[in-house]
Amino acid sequence: MVQQGQMLLKTLISASEKAARISRRCRSEQSLFSLLIEEKTGEEKNKHFVHDFKTLADVLVQEAIKHDIVAKFPDLCGHVYGEESNKFTNANGDSVYIEVQGDEVKTSAMLGRVLDNNMAAANALAAETHGTLSTLEDDPMLCRVDVDIDTDDIGFWIDPIDSTAEYIRGESVNSVDGVHPTGLQCVTVLIGGFTRSTGLPICGVINQPFHHLNSDGQWCSRVLWGIHTSGRSYSNGVPTIPSQFLSLVSPSPSDKVTRVIMSPSESDRVKTAVSAVTGDVVYTAGAGYKMLCVIDGTVDAYVLSKASTFKWDTCGPHAILLALGGGCVNFNDSDDDTGEGSAERSPTRPRPRQRQLSYSDPEIPAELGAGRWSNSKGLIAFKDIGIFHTLAAAL
């Protein structure tokens, strides 16, 4: 069914803000919060982390977003995917399948089973979950979006709380030259839409639930969004190159890379190669936050050589980067862009635009659990095509 892209984006943005409110509510009582943490094991676990955790907030946020999307667009039922299993076991060993119920009273009763019968907390979370979605009529840029979406050919990836370790730690950390190395500011809610037939991302939302404190000392959100489809692009981010001109841009060896963001666990070889072409390498938590830094322009690119991110981490931010004229390509394919020993592009090799990360099929079908949905070849995320070519040549 063809739907207005503006209506779809408003639903995603509203769902992300509801998710942000739930995440803040879950963090509001430390004594309660300690009950709501479960360590992932087996197929759920990210094998690149020694300890990998999920919280009730992760699961409830994911299920609330799914519920709101499908309630507005019923034909998307079965095509909204999330990082987390909806089975949650709290610190007391009580297990419950978390699902948004038909009304607030039933959802509260379900949550009470996880919350050790703390019904005040259960009622508060249920109220947030069933809260009315904002109409977002005050966003003039969003009101300009004029593109249709075929919901019969779209799927969604949700990362309910990216950088869960920082969320659990709960510290506010000052930024260094515009980038937070750790802290609650690195936590993001990520929603990304992709075309099922091609796997390419077309719309995305990033919500930072802990972006800043208001005058009352309460955390407030920041939301970034983008949509890129049918030859049209819209975003509330700041574009570098209009996307319609991206395919016309040639590599420029004079494009200077001034700042790259990476994971502290990146290989020494890649750190050395990147350091050779940039004056500044920064390290921070959270794949979603790293991509957000690229979108904001506080860094030029995000480089990752490992299979430590997943489709739910990158789909939403990737769509926003495409809307701004950038992209996100496989790290291990980056040297395919030009022939070895030649400054000229091989006419038979794909341009970056044809090698964007894809989201409809698992990259490692034989692997069980989360691993099959990893970005197995690493990634390079960029907003300026010239930056990509400079990095690709160095790597």
Side-chain angles (χ1 to χ4, degrees):
M1 181 182 297
V2 175
Q3 300 279 0
Q4 291 182 347
Q6 183 182 130
M7 183 185 300
L8 181 62
L9 267 177
K10 285 183 176 181
T11 300
L12 301 183
I13 293 167
S14 294
S16 82
E17 185 53 30
K18 177 182 288 188
R21 293 201 305 264
I22 293 171
S23 68
R24 290 191 291 263
R25 176 73 72 166
C26 283
R27 267 231 61 93
S28 61
E29 298 179 44
Q30 186 58 43
S31 59
L32 172 65
F33 188 67
S34 62
L35 185 69
L36 309 183
I37 303 170
E38 173 187 356
E39 182 164 5
K40 298 180 187 178
T41 58
E43 295 175 4
E44 275 195 279
K45 183 178 179 180
N46 182 342
K47 62 185 178 183
H48 293 273
F49 298 156
V50 176
H51 298 286
D52 192 11
F53 295 90
K54 70 180 179 184
T55 68
L56 177 64
D58 286 279
V59 184
L60 184 57
V61 162
Q62 175 178 286
E63 297 307 306
I65 293 173
K66 283 185 179 180
H67 175 270
D68 286 354
I69 292 174
V70 173
K72 193 73 173 180
F73 304 98
D75 45 332
L76 289 174
C77 183
H79 299 291
V80 183
Y81 316 109
E83 174 185 5
E84 308 294 355
S85 160
N86 68 334
K87 181 182 179 182
F88 186 84
T89 303
N90 69 12
N92 291 337
D94 303 316
S95 295
V96 176
Y97 284 94
I98 305 298
E99 294 178 332
V100 178
Q101 304 296 305
D103 58 49
E104 187 175 321
V105 173
K106 292 178 181 177
T107 297
S108 178
M110 174 205 65
L111 291 171
R113 294 171 57 197
V114 179
L115 297 172
D116 197 25
N117 291 317
N118 183 331
M119 295 312 298
N123 290 339
L125 287 176
E128 296 285 10
T129 303
H130 288 272
T132 303
L133 296 179
S134 167
T135 60
L136 300 169
E137 297 299 336
D138 58 344
D139 186 340
M141 189 168 296
L142 184 58
C143 291
R144 296 192 193 109
V145 173
D146 182 18
V147 66
D148 290 330
I149 299 288
D150 181 5
T151 52
D152 289 332
D153 188 33
I154 192 172
F156 286 92
W157 281 110
I158 302 166
D159 190 339
I161 297 181
D162 188 53
S163 200
T164 304
E166 298 305 318
Y167 178 67
I168 292 171
R169 196 171 292 120
E171 299 174 351
S172 177
V173 176
N174 291 331
S175 66
V176 179
D177 296 327
V179 175
H180 294 272
T182 57
L184 282 169
Q185 293 88 343
C186 299
V187 173
T188 53
V189 176
L190 308 171
I191 309 174
F194 63 93
T195 302
R196 301 202 301 264
S197 57
T198 67
L200 292 177
I202 60 171
C203 60
V205 171
I206 303 174
N207 190 308
Q208 284 181 282
F210 304 94
H211 180 258
H212 64 278
L213 294 167
N214 65 16
S215 58
D216 296 325
Q218 302 298 311
W219 283 108
C220 298
S221 297
R222 176 196 181 211
V223 180
L224 281 175
W225 55 265
I227 188 166
H228 172 78
T229 185
S230 304
R232 297 182 180 182
S233 296
Y234 303 88
S235 177
N236 65 340
V238 179
T240 299
I241 301 173
S243 59
Q244 63 265 35
F245 301 131
L246 181 59
S247 62
L248 304 178
V249 177
S250 298
S252 173
S254 63
D255 284 320
K256 182 173 176 57
V257 183
T258 58
R259 205 176 196 205
V260 172
I261 199 165
M262 293 194 291
S263 168
S265 63
E266 185 54 75
S267 71
D268 290 339
R269 182 192 73 80
V270 173
K271 287 180 180 179
T272 300
V274 170
S275 296
V277 296
T278 180
D280 189 12
V281 176
V282 294
Y283 303 97
T284 186
Y289 181 67
K290 291 182 181 73
M291 294 188 74
L292 176 59
C293 288
V294 179
I295 293 166
D296 280 341
T298 54
V299 301
D300 294 316
Y302 168 28
V303 174
L304 177 69
S305 67
K306 303 178 180 181
S308 56
T309 66
F310 299 85
K311 303 306 179 187
W312 46 80
D313 293 315
T314 55
C315 187
H318 188 176
I320 298 172
L321 282 170
L322 283 173
L324 295 173
C328 187
V329 304
N330 290 321
F331 172 91
N332 289 329
D333 286 343
S334 62
D335 60 348
D336 286 347
D337 197 57
T338 58
E340 290 187 16
S342 171
E344 296 182 3
R345 184 191 305 275
S346 167
T348 62
R349 292 184 176 182
R351 302 178 72 96
R353 199 151 180 79
Q354 279 71 54
R355 292 187 289 100
Q356 302 291 334
L357 296 187
S358 180
Y359 295 91
S360 54
D361 297 310
E363 292 193 11
I364 312 177
E367 186 162 337
L368 299 176
R372 70 199 308 260
W373 294 106
S374 70
N375 296 312
S376 63
K377 297 181 179 180
L379 62 87
I380 300 177
F382 57 93
K383 197 164 68 171
D384 185 318
I385 192 69
I387 295 295
F388 166 78
H389 288 299
T390 301
L391 285 169
L395 295 168

